[in-house]
Amino acid sequence: MRNNDDGSPGTSASEDEESAARSAAAVERIRARKGAATVTIGDLIEAESSVRGALDTIGSTWAMLTLTSLNSGNKRYSQIKRSVPAISDRMLSQTLRGFVRDGLATRTVLRTIPSHVEYELTDVGRQVCASLSDLLYTIMRLAPDVAQARACFEATEAGQAGQSGQRGRSAH
């Protein structure tokens, strides 16, 4: 196993090919199932290394924000930086490098003075972004339910803590 430029563990070309083949086999089994193409834990385990690699690339908040920014069209680095609040130069560079490495985006050096770099989603990046958009919409739609569940949980936890505190004092 080799390390990527950012220091994270990398894989060899043959490991990448094996991982892609396992993922392709899992996708074919999912397609062959009757009914909805629901992914099971077994599917994830079989395709684990490629799924983990993909999630490493797109699963962070910064990656999701950056993908969403690029979904509106080609952007120069500085435009992406302005559109993603509070992202550091280092994090944006690592995120974009991962997108280019994994085929989600292209990087073009523009011949201007000074030179500029422009990023654009590939077809794969647009497909990922479309699915991500659906996921983010679902999360936003369900946010009130999640907030209510958290409030109930915290109230229950606070009540249990208060009861155990009272029992602890009465025992002494």
Side-chain angles (χ1 to χ4, degrees), residues 72-84:
S72 62
N74 301 7
K75 287 201 169 117
R76 291 195 329 247
Y77 181 93
S78 60
Q79 292 171 306
I80 300 167
K81 177 110 167 92
R82 280 193 301 274
S83 69
V84 180

Side-chain angles (χ1 to χ4, degrees), residues 17-168:
E17 289 172 12
E18 289 171 23
S19 177
R22 283 192 302 276
S23 287
V27 167
E28 287 307 313
R29 269 195 314 286
I30 294 166
R31 284 185 184 151
R33 289 186 195 134
K34 295 180 182 175
T38 302
V39 176
T40 66
I41 191 69
D43 299 328
L44 289 175
I45 290 168
E46 177 158 344
E48 182 259 341
S49 59
S50 63
V51 170
R52 186 178 338 130
L55 289 175
D56 286 346
T57 301
I58 64 168
S60 74
T61 301
W62 296 123
M64 291 182 198
L65 290 169
T66 304
L67 273 171
T68 303
S69 174
L70 283 169
N71 197 37
S72 62
N74 301 7
K75 287 201 169 117
R76 291 195 329 247
Y77 181 93
S78 60
Q79 292 171 306
I80 300 167
K81 177 110 167 92
R82 280 193 301 274
S83 69
V84 180
I87 192 168
S88 69
D89 282 323
R90 182 172 187 252
M91 182 54 63
L92 180 56
S93 293
Q94 284 179 349
T95 300
L96 291 168
R97 181 182 205 89
F99 290 173
V100 171
R101 178 193 67 224
D102 291 354
L104 300 174
T106 58
R107 178 183 187 270
T108 305
V109 177
L110 303 174
R111 296 184 186 270
T112 59
I113 298 176
S115 65
H116 294 284
V117 176
E118 189 173 80
Y119 294 88
E120 178 182 13
L121 290 178
T122 62
D123 288 341
V124 171
R126 283 188 284 282
Q127 289 177 41
V128 167
C129 208
S131 295
L132 176 63
S133 183
D134 291 343
L135 173 65
L136 294 174
Y137 173 75
T138 300
I139 290 168
M140 290 186 292
R141 186 174 49 78
L142 296 175
D145 297 332
V146 172
Q148 183 179 10
R150 283 183 180 171
C152 289
F153 177 83
E154 290 171 4
T156 302
E157 289 282 306
Q160 288 175 353
Q163 289 175 355
S164 65
Q166 289 172 354
R167 277 185 244 147

